[in-house]
Amino acid sequence: MNQPTERTRKIYRATWIGMVVNIALSLLKLAAGILGRSGAMIADAVHSISDLATDVIVLIFARISSKPEDAGHNYGHGKYETLASILISLTLIAVGGGILADSIRNIRLVLTGEIIGRPGAIALIAAAISIVAKEVLYRYTVRVGRQTDSPSVVANAWHHRSDALSSIGTLTGIGLAYFLGDKWRIADPLAALVVSVFIFKIAFDLLRSGLGELLEHALPAATEQEILNILTHSKEVTEPHHLRTRRIGATVAIEAHIRVDPRMSVLRSHQLTVDIERQLKERFGPNTLISIHVEPIETEKLSSSDSEKDKNI
């Protein structure tokens, strides 16, 4: 049975901490929303409950993605982690849609002359606690996600931040409705509407990134140029071409062709590729998947190069 790696342990730790915080906040906000008569706080509680679902997704897919390659998955299971980040983004879209629909309904009620009930002070306190707790949780989780290069953990961190943003909107709306009287009761659903837009923005950014990875998007141009610089670090290597790059979860895959002097020994060309692989793994991580194909320099170019050397002599 495979023991969890240090990377997997960090992911588990961050996610379990998030689950405990989310359970506590969900119960607190739900109770505060009911007792404080705040629709915005109840919606905020639902958002926190959705965080629990994404925590479970991360835990399940982190275990799957950490499995080594096998007969059916020659490149490992990293794409499962990408799938997890997409599921989280879809959850965020659903949560944002629910908050948006509820806020529009309440705004319409106010505009037709109905007075929304004044929220209680307990809802204000719960919103303030949620903002602090979720922002701290976001900062911790996104740091772990970047350290482990985990797209699903980073996506989950942004889910935490979206909850913090939701609570800021909730606090603003509840505060205006609580302190400024009946005319400002509409501030509660208006704040929720603005927050839903932020949630949609975060969700679509995560979805675009995850789909790009599943659809085999290449690494950024600047990163590919960095790879080309590594390939030609040795003067014995020329004309790198057919460069192909992609991400497989937290792993980077690199394929490239290089040209060397056709008179070079097999041993020396092998040593060159080993050195290139070492440099690439130092830059992109020890699990980087690398395939280097060696080709001879064309005869015409080789003769031209030799002539130039003779002239210099």
Side-chain angles (χ1 to χ4, degrees), residues 214-279:
L214 283 182
L215 296 174
E216 305 288 344
H217 278 193
L219 298 178
T223 304
E224 289 200 335
Q225 184 57 53
E226 190 176 355
I227 293 171
L228 291 173
N229 292 339
I230 292 174
L231 291 174
T232 55
H233 179 73
S234 171
K235 293 181 179 179
E236 295 176 274
V237 176
T238 62
E239 301 179 52
H241 55 288
H242 292 324
L243 175 63
R244 295 183 177 91
T245 62
R246 58 186 171 129
R247 292 191 69 90
I248 306 174
T251 302
V252 170
I254 301 170
E255 300 175 25
H257 292 202
I258 59 173
R259 288 196 170 101
V260 299
D261 190 325
R263 296 165 296 194
M264 181 182 292
S265 69
V266 174
L267 177 60
R268 179 55 188 155
S269 64
H270 172 69
Q271 290 172 339
L272 282 174
T273 58
V274 169
D275 185 56
I276 289 171
E277 289 178 3
R278 177 186 57 76
Q279 293 181 65

Side-chain angles (χ1 to χ4, degrees), residues 41-240:
M41 180 52 67
I42 292 175
D44 207 11
V46 172
H47 191 184
S48 291
I49 291 170
S50 74
D51 272 359
L52 288 172
T54 61
D55 287 335
V56 172
I57 290 172
V58 172
L59 285 174
I60 293 172
F61 282 88
R63 178 174 291 277
I64 296 173
S65 66
S66 66
K67 293 180 180 179
E69 60 272 13
D70 54 33
H73 301 83
N74 298 150
Y75 290 92
H77 298 74
K79 287 292 178 71
Y80 283 93
E81 196 164 345
T82 307
L83 179 59
S85 69
I86 291 175
L87 291 177
I88 291 170
S89 66
L90 293 176
T91 303
L92 275 172
I93 291 172
V95 170
I99 294 174
L100 178 65
D102 187 66
S103 62
I104 290 174
R105 181 179 61 82
N106 286 328
I107 289 170
R108 291 179 64 183
L109 288 175
V110 174
L111 292 177
T112 56
E114 187 169 330
I115 298 176
I116 301 176
R118 180 175 183 252
I122 188 173
L124 276 173
I125 296 170
I129 292 173
S130 177
I131 292 168
V132 174
K134 295 300 288 193
E135 181 61 20
V136 170
L137 191 58
Y138 160 76
R139 291 175 182 271
Y140 166 66
T141 307
V142 80
R143 186 174 69 249
V144 172
R146 288 168 181 166
Q147 286 175 349
T148 58
D149 202 13
S150 170
S152 62
V153 173
V154 172
N156 205 25
W158 277 106
H159 202 165
H160 294 320
R161 170 153 282 185
S162 74
D163 203 5
L165 291 173
S166 177
S167 294
I168 290 174
T170 301
L171 179 65
T172 303
I174 293 173
L176 291 173
Y178 182 81
F179 291 109
L180 300 182
D182 295 348
K183 292 182 179 179
W184 286 91
R185 300 288 169 84
I186 196 174
D188 184 66
L190 278 175
L193 187 148
V194 172
V195 169
S196 70
V197 174
F198 280 108
I199 293 173
F200 280 132
K201 173 65 168 58
I202 293 169
F204 282 115
D205 285 347
L206 292 172
L207 183 61
R208 184 174 64 250
S209 174
L211 288 176
E213 189 171 320
L214 283 182
L215 296 174
E216 305 288 344
H217 278 193
L219 298 178
T223 304
E224 289 200 335
Q225 184 57 53
E226 190 176 355
I227 293 171
L228 291 173
N229 292 339
I230 292 174
L231 291 174
T232 55
H233 179 73
S234 171
K235 293 181 179 179
E236 295 176 274
V237 176
T238 62
E239 301 179 52

